[in-house]
Amino acid sequence: MSGALLALPRVQVRFRPGLTLSIALVAFFVIAAIAPSLLTTQDPLKINLGDALQAPSAAHIFGTDQSGRDLYARVVYGARESLFIGLAATALSMSIAFVLGVSAALGNKLTDGAINRFIELLFAFPVLLLSLLFVTVFGAGLTTLIVAVGVGTAPGYARMIRGQVLAVKGSGYVEAAGALGHSYPKVIRRHILPNAMRPLVVLVTLGVGQSIVWASGLAFLGLGVAPPSPEWGALLDAGRTYITQAWWLEVMPGLAIVSFALALTAIGRYVQQRLEGGLQR
């Protein structure tokens, strides 16, 4: 019995403090989005002018804003709206990119050329500029913000999806499936799309954090969600007036945005390495 136990392969589990911290941060913000009352008892909308612009302390660990509202509570409650913007914008962006990328890769030369020219035209505008134009034309608001960020980030994803589909399309097992008599739609459905889309799971992870950063940038310019919403970008916009006398109004929401985006990036990179077989247990 002991000999059989000794014969079992040893599985080495490497402790990764960065990855562990990233997962903990993402879990914290997910809890904040789902059940913020578990993380704070403060009302994020309660005004108390007597406590206005108080520095971080034991009573208010993130300080208070110009209306005396607890900033930690506002950051916690703002996670729901910010994460919703990130998820919705990424879903829209990936949907647009999927249609453009797959149509270009699987279509004829004329279709591929036309879609590529359209993608290059969108690439001529930086993401922020394209989003700014969209918000300026259609007006600020939650829906407009989501659509602006989704449309602005779609070209990059479309080019990646096109390249991935073309790579799988030219692989040996796809050619073998065609040689065995499988119809082209069946080859696309069973071989090309599943294998082309699997690595793109990482893009979705990275895209959520990126979308939150872009949306916060637009909100900082006053083109986001209207106050008194505690959405992270709106907090940055509201605090910039007081940046010289209350640094915490910019630093604390900014840390939330940066830490969440970096945590998602770290998790996405780890998943990518695992899919590519670059990590050992």
Side-chain angles (χ1 to χ4, degrees):
M1 185 68 177
S2 59
L5 290 175
L6 292 174
L8 292 175
R10 293 184 178 180
V11 179
Q12 294 183 352
V13 179
R14 296 176 57 186
F15 176 67
R16 301 176 181 276
L19 178 64
T20 302
L21 178 60
S22 298
I23 294 174
L25 282 171
V26 171
F28 175 85
F29 288 121
V30 169
I31 293 173
I34 297 174
S37 59
L38 295 177
L39 302 175
T40 178
T41 57
Q42 297 280 353
D43 184 350
L45 301 178
K46 183 179 179 181
I47 296 176
N48 186 358
L49 296 179
D51 291 336
L53 298 180
Q54 287 192 5
S57 62
H60 304 282
I61 58 174
F62 281 10
T64 61
D65 65 6
Q66 65 276 12
S67 299
R69 294 171 293 204
D70 185 79
L71 189 57
Y72 171 73
R74 289 179 63 75
V75 169
V76 168
Y77 276 85
R80 176 178 299 175
E81 216 162 11
S82 296
L83 267 63
F84 174 74
I85 291 173
L87 290 170
T90 302
L92 176 62
S93 178
M94 288 296 176
S95 299
I96 297 173
F98 179 84
V99 173
L100 293 177
V102 172
S103 299
L106 299 180
N108 54 35
K109 290 185 178 181
L110 181 62
T111 303
D112 186 25
I115 294 177
N116 270 320
R117 298 295 84 76
F118 177 68
I119 293 175
E120 290 173 0
L121 177 64
L122 294 179
F123 264 122
F125 298 91
V127 176
L128 185 59
L129 179 59
L130 189 62
S131 301
L132 274 172
L133 289 174
F134 197 92
V135 174
T136 303
V137 171
F138 294 99
L142 180 62
T143 302
T144 306
L145 188 63
I146 291 171
V147 175
V149 175
V151 171
T153 55
Y157 296 136
R159 179 166 289 183
M160 294 179 192
I161 291 174
R162 175 183 176 274
Q164 189 68 28
V165 173
L166 285 175
V168 174
K169 182 181 177 182
S171 61
Y173 60 85
V174 171
E175 294 178 358
L180 290 173
H182 295 296
S183 64
Y184 190 51
K186 185 176 181 180
V187 172
I188 293 175
R189 186 178 67 256
R190 296 190 60 180
H191 298 285
I192 296 179
L193 290 183
N195 289 285
M197 295 302 110
R198 189 178 298 115
L200 298 178
V201 174
V202 179
L203 281 182
V204 175
T205 306
L206 301 176
V208 174
Q210 185 184 46
S211 296
I212 291 176
V213 171
W214 286 120
S216 299
L218 290 172
F220 181 76
L221 298 175
L223 299 173
V225 183
S229 169
E231 190 268 329
W232 293 340
L235 294 181
L236 289 176
D237 179 41
R240 61 178 174 169
T241 307
Y242 305 91
I243 190 170
T244 57
Q245 60 187 109
W247 54 267
W248 54 90
L249 295 182
E250 295 293 291
V251 171
M252 299 308 181
L255 282 176
I257 296 168
V258 172
S259 61
F260 185 71
L262 289 178
L264 283 179
T265 301
I267 294 172
R269 295 299 184 192
Y270 175 78
V271 173
Q272 182 180 30
Q273 290 175 334
R274 290 301 302 267
L275 289 174
E276 294 174 354
L279 287 177
Q280 295 181 350
R281 289 183 179 272

